Amino acid sequence: MQAHDGMYIDGAWRPAAGRDTIEVVNPADEKVIGRVPAGTAEDVDTAVRAARAAFPAWAATAPAERAARLAALRDVLAARAGEIAETVTAELGAPLAFSQAVHAGVPVLVAGSYAELAATYAFEEKVGNSTVYQEPVGVVGAITPWNYPLHQIVAKVAPALAAGCTVVLKPAEDTPLTAQLFAEAVAEAGIPAGVFNLVTGLGPVAGQALAEHPDVDLVSFTGSTAVGRRIGSIAGAAVKRVALELGGKSANVILPSADLAKAVNVGVANVMSNSGQTCSAWTRMLVPADRYDEAVELAAAAAAKYGDRIGPVVNAGQRDRVRGYIEKGVAEGARLVAGGPESPREQGYFVAPTVFADVTEHMTIAQEEIFGPVLSILRYEDEEEALRIANGTVYGLAGAVWAGEESEAVAFARRLDTGQVDINGGRFNPLAPFGGYKQSGVGRELGSHGLSEYLQTKSLQF
């Protein structure tokens, strides 16, 4: 696509306040494919003022009409799915088939789910002698990451619009072209001017200005726990709402009764998906000690099949960060059974699909989020040890449990300190709440729980 050289503010593409730009690089071949404006605090202020001006009318719009606009947005995203997939592949590096199925396909499902919720959600109810109203929070500052560039935008913007909020989006600087496509889709769907606004730019400049802006009522952020803490402190000082979806170090617990081959193969696929750049990836595989060697052999063989099937990581800094973790794992005594720190290709930001055995629970690679195609396999002696290891990080975003009987897996999953658990390979559900315990965040996305993040409650007594 052709990059826009301005910001989408108040229903039109407008020149940026400054002249600085951000280069967009294809991580597969390291070539510049576009440039977008590096937004300033002035650009953010202009966008927020547009969102504030549009808020009263959009908040007063009937839910059925908001639902119709979201349905139109869903239809535009579906019609432009091919272009979206090609754009994500160009700026993120994901294989085209994965971009088509996930990066372009899932946002259509999510947008459609909010079109339906906007039409059916109970925005008011009778409670005794009171009428309780769910009203939009106001202006939302949405700050999204690069790993699922369109999904993360839709997962924030769609429920915010369904609730009656207006939005200013600051997308990740690595993947702004997808955000520009989304802005085009918003315009094509007939969403009124000022309801959605886009400012491209760097996090420490445009992102911070958005989080600090006094007319932003809620900040919704997805990204690292470190940045989430910073945004939380900014919002706390202003007593404004936040929704934070942060890091993860999810455990894939394979109980003794499980189908080991299936659990290992699905687990490896989960970690390698999107080149390991998934906050909810099951990056710790917990295996019974008496089947450990078998699991390691299966995982190494499975990982070997991904050498030519995964794309690069997003940029040179991320590649070097992931390689550094692999080197740290070796230095701390973990055993490489697949992959390693050496680049598998001469060009592009590629990392070899990597599997570590002999990982202990306190190693760096078992505690910190790597955000690359790296799996750590840990052994346990009994289920109580497995539970302690699984819960033994500061994170609690997602996870998986495998067992011969579903009831056994559910009983174990209920004891995990994590926000979402897949049972025996459970399928993705766009209506299920997604979000974490502990330092994995605050709040939920998707479904009715995601919608409620953008609402505030008022009661009238009679």
Side-chain angles (χ1 to χ4, degrees):
M1 66 165 288
Q2 180 66 42
H4 291 278
D5 60 2
M7 311 295 188
Y8 184 77
I9 297 176
D10 204 17
W13 292 97
R14 303 177 184 277
R19 295 183 178 182
D20 291 344
T21 61
I22 298 169
E23 289 186 342
V24 184
V25 176
N26 185 327
D29 60 17
E30 304 179 45
K31 294 180 180 178
V32 176
I33 58 174
R35 290 176 175 81
V36 299
T40 64
E42 183 178 346
D43 294 307
V44 169
D45 181 64
T46 301
V48 172
R49 284 190 285 110
R52 176 59 63 192
F55 173 67
W58 183 248
T61 300
E65 175 58 23
R66 298 201 296 262
R69 292 305 97 212
L70 285 168
L73 177 61
R74 173 202 61 204
D75 293 344
V76 174
L77 293 176
R80 301 186 69 174
E83 182 183 5
I84 290 167
E86 290 173 358
T87 301
V88 173
T89 291
E91 63 180 355
L92 179 63
L96 184 58
F98 187 80
S99 290
Q100 292 168 335
V102 177
H103 289 295
V106 171
V108 173
L109 294 176
V110 174
S113 74
Y114 281 113
E116 294 178 9
L117 270 170
T120 60
Y121 192 83
F123 288 98
E124 65 176 85
E125 63 174 332
K126 292 288 187 180
V127 179
N129 64 308
S130 302
T131 301
V132 179
Y133 296 90
Q134 300 296 323
E135 299 182 342
V137 168
V139 175
V140 172
I143 303 174
T144 56
W146 44 260
N147 59 325
Y148 289 90
L150 184 60
H151 169 65
Q152 294 289 354
I153 290 171
V154 172
K156 297 182 188 303
V157 175
L161 299 191
C165 297
T166 56
V167 179
V168 177
L169 168 68
K170 205 299 288 183
E173 51 264 34
D174 291 290
T175 54
L177 304 183
T178 300
Q180 290 189 341
L181 273 180
F182 179 78
E184 292 177 4
V186 165
E188 192 174 340
I191 293 172
V195 171
F196 170 81
N197 307 272
L198 169 67
V199 176
T200 54
L202 301 174
V205 180
Q208 180 156 331
L210 186 58
E212 290 178 339
H213 201 289
D215 276 337
V216 169
D217 300 295
L218 181 150
V219 181
S220 180
F221 168 79
T222 296
S224 72
T225 298
V227 176
R229 289 193 194 101
R230 172 63 179 157
I231 289 174
S233 67
I234 291 171
V239 197
K240 68 173 68 177
R241 298 240 317 249
V242 293
L244 305 173
E245 196 270 281
L246 308 176
K249 194 68 183 176
S250 301
N252 180 17
V253 183
I254 304 174
L255 296 176
S257 63
D259 180 334
L260 184 68
K262 182 178 180 180
V264 170
N265 280 289
V266 174
V268 171
N270 175 277
V271 172
M272 301 307 161
S273 178
N274 209 41
S275 302
Q277 300 169 128
T278 303
C279 54
S280 56
W282 311 333
T283 53
R284 295 180 297 146
M285 181 180 289
L286 277 58
V287 182
D290 61 356
R291 303 198 70 183
Y292 187 80
D293 292 342
E294 182 184 357
V296 169
E297 184 177 346
L298 287 167
K305 299 175 183 178
Y306 286 87
D308 297 324
R309 292 166 55 185
I310 66 172
V313 295
V314 71
N315 56 40
Q318 183 66 12
R319 176 200 60 197
D320 294 345
R321 179 178 183 273
V322 175
R323 286 180 181 173
Y325 272 111
I326 296 172
E327 291 168 352
K328 184 78 167 176
V330 173
E332 291 184 356
R335 174 168 56 96
L336 275 172
V337 296
E342 296 79 15
S343 176
R345 304 191 191 183
E346 292 184 2
Q347 188 178 43
Y349 309 129
F350 290 88
V351 176
T354 298
V355 177
F356 278 106
D358 300 338
V359 179
T360 58
E361 60 185 295
H362 299 300
M363 287 182 179
T364 302
I365 59 172
Q367 289 291 320
E368 298 184 12
E369 185 176 43
I370 298 173
F371 226 61
V374 181
L375 170 66
S376 296
I377 308 179
L378 298 86
R379 57 168 55 84
Y380 67 86
E381 295 295 337
D382 55 38
E383 290 190 17
E384 290 306 312
E385 184 180 25
L387 183 69
R388 177 177 56 76
I389 293 172
N391 287 337
T393 75
V394 298
Y395 299 110
L397 185 56
V401 181
W402 301 79
E405 295 293 333
E406 183 179 288
S407 59
E408 180 187 2
V410 169
F412 190 92
R414 291 295 305 273
R415 300 170 70 194
L416 291 174
D417 298 332
T418 192
Q420 191 172 77
V421 184
D422 293 343
I423 302 297
N424 288 338
R427 293 178 293 110
F428 171 73
N429 179 2
L431 298 178
F434 179 76
Y437 287 17
K438 301 189 286 188
Q439 292 188 27
S440 284
V442 176
R444 292 295 181 266
E445 293 185 328
L446 304 179
S448 60
H449 292 81
L451 176 58
S452 67
E453 292 292 331
Y454 300 93
L455 295 167
Q456 55 190 350
T457 304
K458 176 185 292 179
S459 65
L460 302 184
Q461 283 62 248
F462 296 91

mmCIF file of all heavy atoms in Angstrom, residues 320-360:
data_model
loop_
_atom_site.group_PDB
_atom_site.id
_atom_site.type_symbol
_atom_site.label_atom_id
_atom_site.label_comp_id
_atom_site.label_asym_id
_atom_site.label_seq_id
_atom_site.Cartn_x
_atom_site.Cartn_y
_atom_site.Cartn_z
ATOM 1 N N ASP A 320 18.185 -9.384 18.137
ATOM 2 C CA ASP A 320 19.333 -9.437 19.041
ATOM 3 C C ASP A 320 18.900 -9.751 20.474
ATOM 4 O O ASP A 320 19.616 -10.443 21.213
ATOM 5 C CB ASP A 320 20.083 -8.105 18.990
ATOM 6 C CG ASP A 320 20.715 -7.849 17.625
ATOM 7 O OD1 ASP A 320 20.826 -8.798 16.824
ATOM 8 O OD2 ASP A 320 21.074 -6.685 17.352
ATOM 9 N N ARG A 321 17.725 -9.264 20.850
ATOM 10 C CA ARG A 321 17.206 -9.549 22.193
ATOM 11 C C ARG A 321 16.934 -11.041 22.357
ATOM 12 O O ARG A 321 17.313 -11.648 23.371
ATOM 13 C CB ARG A 321 15.925 -8.745 22.421
ATOM 14 C CG ARG A 321 15.257 -8.956 23.764
ATOM 15 C CD ARG A 321 14.023 -8.059 23.886
ATOM 16 N NE ARG A 321 13.398 -8.181 25.179
ATOM 17 C CZ ARG A 321 12.482 -9.096 25.507
ATOM 18 N NH1 ARG A 321 12.098 -9.974 24.595
ATOM 19 N NH2 ARG A 321 11.959 -9.124 26.717
ATOM 20 N N VAL A 322 16.296 -11.642 21.365
ATOM 21 C CA VAL A 322 15.983 -13.068 21.440
ATOM 22 C C VAL A 322 17.265 -13.897 21.434
ATOM 23 O O VAL A 322 17.419 -14.842 22.212
ATOM 24 C CB VAL A 322 15.054 -13.483 20.286
ATOM 25 C CG1 VAL A 322 14.823 -14.987 20.298
ATOM 26 C CG2 VAL A 322 13.724 -12.745 20.391
ATOM 27 N N ARG A 323 18.203 -13.548 20.572
ATOM 28 C CA ARG A 323 19.487 -14.261 20.551
ATOM 29 C C ARG A 323 20.181 -14.157 21.903
ATOM 30 O O ARG A 323 20.802 -15.112 22.385
ATOM 31 C CB ARG A 323 20.388 -13.672 19.464
ATOM 32 C CG ARG A 323 19.991 -14.040 18.049
ATOM 33 C CD ARG A 323 20.963 -13.396 17.085
ATOM 34 N NE ARG A 323 20.656 -13.678 15.700
ATOM 35 C CZ ARG A 323 21.293 -13.118 14.660
ATOM 36 N NH1 ARG A 323 22.262 -12.242 14.886
ATOM 37 N NH2 ARG A 323 20.958 -13.423 13.431
ATOM 38 N N GLY A 324 20.095 -12.981 22.528
ATOM 39 C CA GLY A 324 20.707 -12.809 23.840
ATOM 40 C C GLY A 324 20.119 -13.749 24.877
ATOM 41 O O GLY A 324 20.849 -14.302 25.721
ATOM 42 N N TYR A 325 18.807 -13.952 24.824
ATOM 43 C CA TYR A 325 18.180 -14.897 25.750
ATOM 44 C C TYR A 325 18.638 -16.324 25.478
ATOM 45 O O TYR A 325 18.849 -17.117 26.413
ATOM 46 C CB TYR A 325 16.659 -14.809 25.653
ATOM 47 C CG TYR A 325 16.047 -13.772 26.557
ATOM 48 C CD1 TYR A 325 15.463 -12.619 26.034
ATOM 49 C CD2 TYR A 325 16.046 -13.947 27.937
ATOM 50 C CE1 TYR A 325 14.886 -11.662 26.875
ATOM 51 C CE2 TYR A 325 15.478 -13.001 28.781
ATOM 52 C CZ TYR A 325 14.903 -11.861 28.244
ATOM 53 O OH TYR A 325 14.348 -10.914 29.082
ATOM 54 N N ILE A 326 18.790 -16.679 24.210
ATOM 55 C CA ILE A 326 19.259 -18.026 23.881
ATOM 56 C C ILE A 326 20.673 -18.234 24.424
ATOM 57 O O ILE A 326 20.982 -19.275 25.032
ATOM 58 C CB ILE A 326 19.213 -18.256 22.356
ATOM 59 C CG1 ILE A 326 17.763 -18.205 21.859
ATOM 60 C CG2 ILE A 326 19.848 -19.599 21.990
ATOM 61 C CD1 ILE A 326 17.630 -18.233 20.344
ATOM 62 N N GLU A 327 21.523 -17.251 24.246
ATOM 63 C CA GLU A 327 22.879 -17.336 24.780
ATOM 64 C C GLU A 327 22.859 -17.413 26.304
ATOM 65 O O GLU A 327 23.660 -18.150 26.915
ATOM 66 C CB GLU A 327 23.685 -16.128 24.309
ATOM 67 C CG GLU A 327 23.973 -16.148 22.803
ATOM 68 C CD GLU A 327 24.522 -14.831 22.289
ATOM 69 O OE1 GLU A 327 24.540 -13.844 23.069
ATOM 70 O OE2 GLU A 327 24.921 -14.781 21.103
ATOM 71 N N LYS A 328 21.950 -16.697 26.937
ATOM 72 C CA LYS A 328 21.826 -16.733 28.398
ATOM 73 C C LYS A 328 21.394 -18.123 28.865
ATOM 74 O O LYS A 328 21.890 -18.648 29.872
ATOM 75 C CB LYS A 328 20.791 -15.694 28.841
ATOM 76 C CG LYS A 328 20.628 -15.563 30.341
ATOM 77 C CD LYS A 328 21.742 -14.770 30.969
ATOM 78 C CE LYS A 328 21.438 -14.378 32.391
ATOM 79 N NZ LYS A 328 22.561 -13.676 33.041
ATOM 80 N N GLY A 329 20.481 -18.737 28.112
ATOM 81 C CA GLY A 329 20.047 -20.079 28.466
ATOM 82 C C GLY A 329 21.186 -21.074 28.437
ATOM 83 O O GLY A 329 21.332 -21.899 29.351
ATOM 84 N N VAL A 330 22.020 -20.996 27.406
ATOM 85 C CA VAL A 330 23.186 -21.877 27.314
ATOM 86 C C VAL A 330 24.140 -21.611 28.466
ATOM 87 O O VAL A 330 24.652 -22.540 29.104
ATOM 88 C CB VAL A 330 23.887 -21.695 25.959
ATOM 89 C CG1 VAL A 330 25.200 -22.472 25.927
ATOM 90 C CG2 VAL A 330 22.977 -22.133 24.812
ATOM 91 N N ALA A 331 24.378 -20.336 28.749
ATOM 92 C CA ALA A 331 25.319 -19.972 29.806
ATOM 93 C C ALA A 331 24.846 -20.457 31.170
ATOM 94 O O ALA A 331 25.677 -20.789 32.036
ATOM 95 C CB ALA A 331 25.511 -18.459 29.827
ATOM 96 N N GLU A 332 23.527 -20.529 31.383
ATOM 97 C CA GLU A 332 23.009 -20.949 32.683
ATOM 98 C C GLU A 332 22.841 -22.463 32.796
ATOM 99 O O GLU A 332 22.373 -22.960 33.818
ATOM 100 C CB GLU A 332 21.676 -20.246 32.968
ATOM 101 C CG GLU A 332 21.852 -18.742 33.208
ATOM 102 C CD GLU A 332 20.553 -18.050 33.599
ATOM 103 O OE1 GLU A 332 19.491 -18.710 33.614
ATOM 104 O OE2 GLU A 332 20.599 -16.840 33.894
ATOM 105 N N GLY A 333 23.203 -23.192 31.734
ATOM 106 C CA GLY A 333 23.226 -24.647 31.835
ATOM 107 C C GLY A 333 22.109 -25.390 31.143
ATOM 108 O O GLY A 333 22.042 -26.628 31.222
ATOM 109 N N ALA A 334 21.210 -24.684 30.454
ATOM 110 C CA ALA A 334 20.166 -25.371 29.693
ATOM 111 C C ALA A 334 20.794 -26.024 28.466
ATOM 112 O O ALA A 334 21.825 -25.574 27.953
ATOM 113 C CB ALA A 334 19.067 -24.404 29.288
ATOM 114 N N ARG A 335 20.156 -27.067 27.963
ATOM 115 C CA ARG A 335 20.707 -27.829 26.840
ATOM 116 C C ARG A 335 19.909 -27.565 25.569
ATOM 117 O O ARG A 335 18.706 -27.796 25.521
ATOM 118 C CB ARG A 335 20.688 -29.321 27.186
ATOM 119 C CG ARG A 335 21.106 -30.255 26.056
ATOM 120 C CD ARG A 335 21.349 -31.671 26.588
ATOM 121 N NE ARG A 335 20.204 -32.218 27.294
ATOM 122 C CZ ARG A 335 19.284 -33.031 26.730
ATOM 123 N NH1 ARG A 335 19.392 -33.367 25.455
ATOM 124 N NH2 ARG A 335 18.284 -33.512 27.451
ATOM 125 N N LEU A 336 20.612 -27.087 24.542
ATOM 126 C CA LEU A 336 19.970 -26.850 23.251
ATOM 127 C C LEU A 336 19.707 -28.190 22.558
ATOM 128 O O LEU A 336 20.621 -28.988 22.376
ATOM 129 C CB LEU A 336 20.856 -25.992 22.348
ATOM 130 C CG LEU A 336 20.782 -24.469 22.483
ATOM 131 C CD1 LEU A 336 21.865 -23.823 21.659
ATOM 132 C CD2 LEU A 336 19.411 -23.969 22.048
ATOM 133 N N VAL A 337 18.453 -28.404 22.160
ATOM 134 C CA VAL A 337 18.132 -29.607 21.392
ATOM 135 C C VAL A 337 17.603 -29.244 20.003
ATOM 136 O O VAL A 337 17.414 -30.118 19.159
ATOM 137 C CB VAL A 337 17.115 -30.499 22.130
ATOM 138 C CG1 VAL A 337 17.723 -31.013 23.428
ATOM 139 C CG2 VAL A 337 15.802 -29.770 22.395
ATOM 140 N N ALA A 338 17.377 -27.956 19.763
ATOM 141 C CA ALA A 338 16.994 -27.464 18.440
ATOM 142 C C ALA A 338 17.332 -25.989 18.374
ATOM 143 O O ALA A 338 17.226 -25.270 19.368
ATOM 144 C CB ALA A 338 15.503 -27.673 18.173
ATOM 145 N N GLY A 339 17.764 -25.543 17.186
ATOM 146 C CA GLY A 339 18.045 -24.126 16.996
ATOM 147 C C GLY A 339 19.295 -23.657 17.707
ATOM 148 O O GLY A 339 20.248 -24.408 17.922
ATOM 149 N N GLY A 340 19.280 -22.379 18.096
ATOM 150 C CA GLY A 340 20.434 -21.763 18.731
ATOM 151 C C GLY A 340 20.518 -20.303 18.351
ATOM 152 O O GLY A 340 19.662 -19.769 17.626
ATOM 153 N N PRO A 341 21.532 -19.593 18.807
ATOM 154 C CA PRO A 341 21.628 -18.150 18.571
ATOM 155 C C PRO A 341 22.071 -17.762 17.165
ATOM 156 O O PRO A 341 21.895 -16.607 16.766
ATOM 157 C CB PRO A 341 22.662 -17.698 19.610
ATOM 158 C CG PRO A 341 23.523 -18.901 19.831
ATOM 159 C CD PRO A 341 22.593 -20.084 19.711
ATOM 160 N N GLU A 342 22.637 -18.700 16.405
ATOM 161 C CA GLU A 342 23.126 -18.337 15.075
ATOM 162 C C GLU A 342 21.952 -18.072 14.133
ATOM 163 O O GLU A 342 20.944 -18.778 14.143
ATOM 164 C CB GLU A 342 23.999 -19.456 14.494
ATOM 165 C CG GLU A 342 25.267 -19.730 15.274
ATOM 166 C CD GLU A 342 25.022 -20.573 16.519
ATOM 167 O OE1 GLU A 342 23.915 -21.180 16.605
ATOM 168 O OE2 GLU A 342 25.894 -20.607 17.400
ATOM 169 N N SER A 343 22.089 -17.051 13.294
ATOM 170 C CA SER A 343 21.023 -16.711 12.355
ATOM 171 C C SER A 343 20.907 -17.784 11.287
ATOM 172 O O SER A 343 21.913 -18.211 10.716
ATOM 173 C CB SER A 343 21.295 -15.356 11.697
ATOM 174 O OG SER A 343 20.304 -15.068 10.731
ATOM 175 N N PRO A 344 19.675 -18.237 10.964
ATOM 176 C CA PRO A 344 19.519 -19.256 9.932
ATOM 177 C C PRO A 344 19.596 -18.706 8.512
ATOM 178 O O PRO A 344 19.627 -19.481 7.555
ATOM 179 C CB PRO A 344 18.126 -19.817 10.228
ATOM 180 C CG PRO A 344 17.393 -18.676 10.846
ATOM 181 C CD PRO A 344 18.409 -17.905 11.631
ATOM 182 N N ARG A 345 19.633 -17.378 8.364
ATOM 183 C CA ARG A 345 19.687 -16.770 7.029
ATOM 184 C C ARG A 345 20.629 -15.573 7.056
ATOM 185 O O ARG A 345 20.837 -14.943 8.089
ATOM 186 C CB ARG A 345 18.304 -16.328 6.563
ATOM 187 C CG ARG A 345 17.271 -17.443 6.561
ATOM 188 C CD ARG A 345 16.013 -17.028 5.848
ATOM 189 N NE ARG A 345 14.931 -17.988 6.060
ATOM 190 C CZ ARG A 345 13.728 -17.903 5.504
ATOM 191 N NH1 ARG A 345 13.472 -16.882 4.700
ATOM 192 N NH2 ARG A 345 12.803 -18.826 5.746
ATOM 193 N N GLU A 346 21.168 -15.262 5.884
ATOM 194 C CA GLU A 346 22.106 -14.147 5.800
ATOM 195 C C GLU A 346 21.398 -12.805 5.838
ATOM 196 O O GLU A 346 21.967 -11.804 6.277
ATOM 197 C CB GLU A 346 22.940 -14.257 4.512
ATOM 198 C CG GLU A 346 23.903 -15.447 4.506
ATOM 199 C CD GLU A 346 24.776 -15.467 3.267
ATOM 200 O OE1 GLU A 346 24.650 -14.537 2.437
ATOM 201 O OE2 GLU A 346 25.576 -16.409 3.125
ATOM 202 N N GLN A 347 20.164 -12.746 5.347
ATOM 203 C CA GLN A 347 19.429 -11.487 5.290
ATOM 204 C C GLN A 347 18.116 -11.623 6.038
ATOM 205 O O GLN A 347 17.496 -12.685 6.058
ATOM 206 C CB GLN A 347 19.148 -11.102 3.831
ATOM 207 C CG GLN A 347 18.558 -9.706 3.655
ATOM 208 C CD GLN A 347 18.356 -9.365 2.193
ATOM 209 O OE1 GLN A 347 17.882 -10.185 1.412
ATOM 210 N NE2 GLN A 347 18.733 -8.162 1.797
ATOM 211 N N GLY A 348 17.705 -10.541 6.667
ATOM 212 C CA GLY A 348 16.467 -10.550 7.424
ATOM 213 C C GLY A 348 16.703 -10.829 8.893
ATOM 214 O O GLY A 348 17.751 -11.315 9.300
ATOM 215 N N TYR A 349 15.690 -10.532 9.702
ATOM 216 C CA TYR A 349 15.807 -10.624 11.155
ATOM 217 C C TYR A 349 15.278 -11.975 11.652
ATOM 218 O O TYR A 349 14.363 -12.057 12.470
ATOM 219 C CB TYR A 349 15.051 -9.473 11.811
ATOM 220 C CG TYR A 349 15.412 -8.118 11.251
ATOM 221 C CD1 TYR A 349 14.423 -7.226 10.823
ATOM 222 C CD2 TYR A 349 16.744 -7.718 11.125
ATOM 223 C CE1 TYR A 349 14.755 -5.979 10.307
ATOM 224 C CE2 TYR A 349 17.085 -6.477 10.606
ATOM 225 C CZ TYR A 349 16.077 -5.618 10.189
ATOM 226 O OH TYR A 349 16.409 -4.388 9.671
ATOM 227 N N PHE A 350 15.876 -13.037 11.153
ATOM 228 C CA PHE A 350 15.406 -14.382 11.457
ATOM 229 C C PHE A 350 16.085 -14.956 12.702
ATOM 230 O O PHE A 350 17.268 -14.697 12.957
ATOM 231 C CB PHE A 350 15.650 -15.310 10.265
ATOM 232 C CG PHE A 350 14.764 -15.024 9.090
ATOM 233 C CD1 PHE A 350 15.137 -14.100 8.119
ATOM 234 C CD2 PHE A 350 13.539 -15.676 8.955
ATOM 235 C CE1 PHE A 350 14.311 -13.827 7.031
ATOM 236 C CE2 PHE A 350 12.711 -15.410 7.871
ATOM 237 C CZ PHE A 350 13.099 -14.481 6.912
ATOM 238 N N VAL A 351 15.315 -15.737 13.439
ATOM 239 C CA VAL A 351 15.817 -16.484 14.587
ATOM 240 C C VAL A 351 15.423 -17.943 14.383
ATOM 241 O O VAL A 351 14.275 -18.247 14.021
ATOM 242 C CB VAL A 351 15.226 -15.964 15.911
ATOM 243 C CG1 VAL A 351 15.690 -16.825 17.080
ATOM 244 C CG2 VAL A 351 15.599 -14.501 16.132
ATOM 245 N N ALA A 352 16.355 -18.840 14.613
ATOM 246 C CA ALA A 352 16.070 -20.264 14.427
ATOM 247 C C ALA A 352 15.066 -20.757 15.470
ATOM 248 O O ALA A 352 15.159 -20.391 16.649
ATOM 249 C CB ALA A 352 17.360 -21.071 14.542
ATOM 250 N N PRO A 353 14.092 -21.590 15.070
ATOM 251 C CA PRO A 353 13.202 -22.215 16.052
ATOM 252 C C PRO A 353 14.034 -22.991 17.078
ATOM 253 O O PRO A 353 14.802 -23.879 16.721
ATOM 254 C CB PRO A 353 12.347 -23.161 15.200
ATOM 255 C CG PRO A 353 12.396 -22.574 13.822
ATOM 256 C CD PRO A 353 13.776 -21.993 13.694
ATOM 257 N N THR A 354 13.897 -22.632 18.326
ATOM 258 C CA THR A 354 14.825 -23.096 19.368
ATOM 259 C C THR A 354 14.083 -23.810 20.489
ATOM 260 O O THR A 354 13.039 -23.350 20.956
ATOM 261 C CB THR A 354 15.619 -21.894 19.925
ATOM 262 O OG1 THR A 354 16.403 -21.323 18.869
ATOM 263 C CG2 THR A 354 16.527 -22.315 21.059
ATOM 264 N N VAL A 355 14.659 -24.936 20.924
ATOM 265 C CA VAL A 355 14.099 -25.692 22.041
ATOM 266 C C VAL A 355 15.214 -25.975 23.040
ATOM 267 O O VAL A 355 16.289 -26.458 22.665
ATOM 268 C CB VAL A 355 13.468 -27.023 21.576
ATOM 269 C CG1 VAL A 355 12.966 -27.826 22.778
ATOM 270 C CG2 VAL A 355 12.328 -26.761 20.597
ATOM 271 N N PHE A 356 14.933 -25.688 24.309
ATOM 272 C CA PHE A 356 15.854 -25.983 25.405
ATOM 273 C C PHE A 356 15.321 -27.129 26.254
ATOM 274 O O PHE A 356 14.140 -27.148 26.618
ATOM 275 C CB PHE A 356 16.018 -24.763 26.318
ATOM 276 C CG PHE A 356 16.997 -23.736 25.839
ATOM 277 C CD1 PHE A 356 16.554 -22.530 25.308
ATOM 278 C CD2 PHE A 356 18.363 -23.956 25.936
ATOM 279 C CE1 PHE A 356 17.456 -21.568 24.888
ATOM 280 C CE2 PHE A 356 19.276 -23.003 25.516
ATOM 281 C CZ PHE A 356 18.821 -21.803 24.990
ATOM 282 N N ALA A 357 16.193 -28.046 26.596
ATOM 283 C CA ALA A 357 15.905 -29.077 27.599
ATOM 284 C C ALA A 357 16.727 -28.788 28.853
ATOM 285 O O ALA A 357 17.571 -27.884 28.865
ATOM 286 C CB ALA A 357 16.240 -30.458 27.049
ATOM 287 N N ASP A 358 16.466 -29.557 29.897
ATOM 288 C CA ASP A 358 17.179 -29.409 31.173
ATOM 289 C C ASP A 358 17.058 -27.988 31.728
ATOM 290 O O ASP A 358 17.999 -27.447 32.323
ATOM 291 C CB ASP A 358 18.658 -29.797 31.022
ATOM 292 C CG ASP A 358 18.834 -31.236 30.577
ATOM 293 O OD1 ASP A 358 17.899 -32.038 30.776
ATOM 294 O OD2 ASP A 358 19.895 -31.563 30.013
ATOM 295 N N VAL A 359 15.889 -27.392 31.533
ATOM 296 C CA VAL A 359 15.630 -26.057 32.069
ATOM 297 C C VAL A 359 15.080 -26.203 33.477
ATOM 298 O O VAL A 359 14.198 -27.039 33.735
ATOM 299 C CB VAL A 359 14.615 -25.295 31.188
ATOM 300 C CG1 VAL A 359 14.322 -23.917 31.767
ATOM 301 C CG2 VAL A 359 15.143 -25.186 29.760
ATOM 302 N N THR A 360 15.597 -25.406 34.390
ATOM 303 C CA THR A 360 15.080 -25.397 35.753
ATOM 304 C C THR A 360 14.275 -24.122 35.975
ATOM 305 O O THR A 360 14.442 -23.128 35.262
ATOM 306 C CB THR A 360 16.214 -25.485 36.782
ATOM 307 O OG1 THR A 360 17.114 -24.385 36.592
ATOM 308 C CG2 THR A 360 16.979 -26.800 36.621
#
